[in-house]
DNA sequence: CAAAGACAGTTTAGCACTAAACCGTCTTCC
DNA sequence: GGAAGACGGTTTAGTGCTAAACTGTCTTTG
């Protein structure tokens, strides 16, 4: 792979990521959520009963980070920690589930809109290439 | 564009971005640089004489952020602020230029390696699709 | 059984970032 | 010429993140 082409591809990847990410941040803010909070809401919403460590592993962040974020979200009444032996299992509260049911489709819509500039075939190709790239990255 | 496909593409995009970004962070740390510092070093290294506001606009961050980062980097002797009317123009010091000359090829190499899993044609296709997507994002 | 280690979670220090308030200086325009 | 505003930069409060130290509980094993 040529240097110039790789660097261009990386810059473009970064730029696209950044643009969609920013949209997402603005979009989620209307629901009072940050990206990090949405990620947690979405994860715990689909898979209840996870421990904090499991959640951290799935989101690829540290358990320290999760600990802090959960404290705030628990304070806002979105979820509950239930102690179980030496670990905590996590579950959304009623309010959390309610927000989950609104936020997930809302966010999915935003993503769909972001990809409107490409045809189905193009998205399929993009997906295939990104998959290949992902796997080659160890 | 279908919902499921878009969401998959976004997750994949995010994952790939994250993986390369992490590599980059680890890689740059061996030079004692954070991503933010490298970005500034690279920008100021190629375009000397920018103001802080211009730099902020190019990197798409706030001038407040730039102000803080520059203070640290100036403290480390990597660059200088030269007051000019009511703005500051920026330039690398000797040490900064030296680091620049080492860091940029170093980083480019890392990027090239990251794309090794794809053929030249595949990278070209990826680039074309990302470009199209980028332009469609307003 | 008691010491050692493993493991889940919390805390702390520090960087990167934003938003908004703030401070100076230059410009404009009555 | 002086008030009003624009503009560049700094500061501050608050979020998100990491790394590493710390706390407490379970498990292993000599």
């Amino acid at each position: 792979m040529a240097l110039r082409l790789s660097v261009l591809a990386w810059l473009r990847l970064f730029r696209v990521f950044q643009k969609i990410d920013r949209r997402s941040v603005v979009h989620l803010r209307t629901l009072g959520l940050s990206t990090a909070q949405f990620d947690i809401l979405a994860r715990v919403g689909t898979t209840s009963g996870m421990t904090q460590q499991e959640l951290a592993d799935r989101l690829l962040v540290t358990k320290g980070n999760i600990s802090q974020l959960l404290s705030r979200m628990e304070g806002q009444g979105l979820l509950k920690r239930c102690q179980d032996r030496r670990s905590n299992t996590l579950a959304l509260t009623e309010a959390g589930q309610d927000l989950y049911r609104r936020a997930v489709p809302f966010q999915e819509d935003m993503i769909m809109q972001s990809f409107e500039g490409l045809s189905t075939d193009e998205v399929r190709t993009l997906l295939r290439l990104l998959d290949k790239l992902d796997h080659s990255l160890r």
Side-chain angles (χ1 to χ4, degrees), chain A residues 5-107:
Chain A
L5 212 55
S6 308
V7 172
L8 262 181
W10 168 241
L11 290 177
R12 198 53 65 197
L13 188 69
F14 178 70
R15 192 161 200 78
V16 168
F17 166 77
Q18 203 174 219
K19 278 194 185 175
I20 301 182
D21 186 54
R22 269 165 207 270
R23 271 195 188 197
S24 162
V25 168
V26 170
H27 201 244
L28 285 176
R29 180 144 39 211
T30 66
L31 295 177
L33 287 171
S34 69
T35 301
Q37 287 168 352
F38 173 79
D39 287 345
I40 289 179
L41 193 74
R43 272 294 173 185
V44 179
T46 50
T47 312
S48 211
M50 258 185 301
T51 66
Q52 295 188 194
Q53 184 61 62
E54 278 166 12
L55 182 57
D57 290 344
R58 291 195 178 229
L59 298 182
L60 300 179
V61 296
T62 60
K63 58 192 175 153
N65 183 12
I66 291 294
S67 177
Q68 296 168 333
L69 286 166
L70 288 183
S71 294
R72 223 169 305 142
M73 290 176 77
E74 197 172 19
Q76 292 168 2
L78 293 174
L79 50 78
K80 275 264 168 277
R81 289 187 244 223
C82 299
Q83 193 161 3
D84 170 37
R85 305 287 223 129
R86 75 189 139 169
S87 65
N88 293 337
T89 61
L90 304 171
L92 298 187
T93 59
E94 271 307 315
Q97 284 174 37
D98 195 63
L99 186 54
Y100 172 82
R101 280 189 290 267
R102 276 180 299 132
V104 169
F106 186 70
Q107 187 64 359

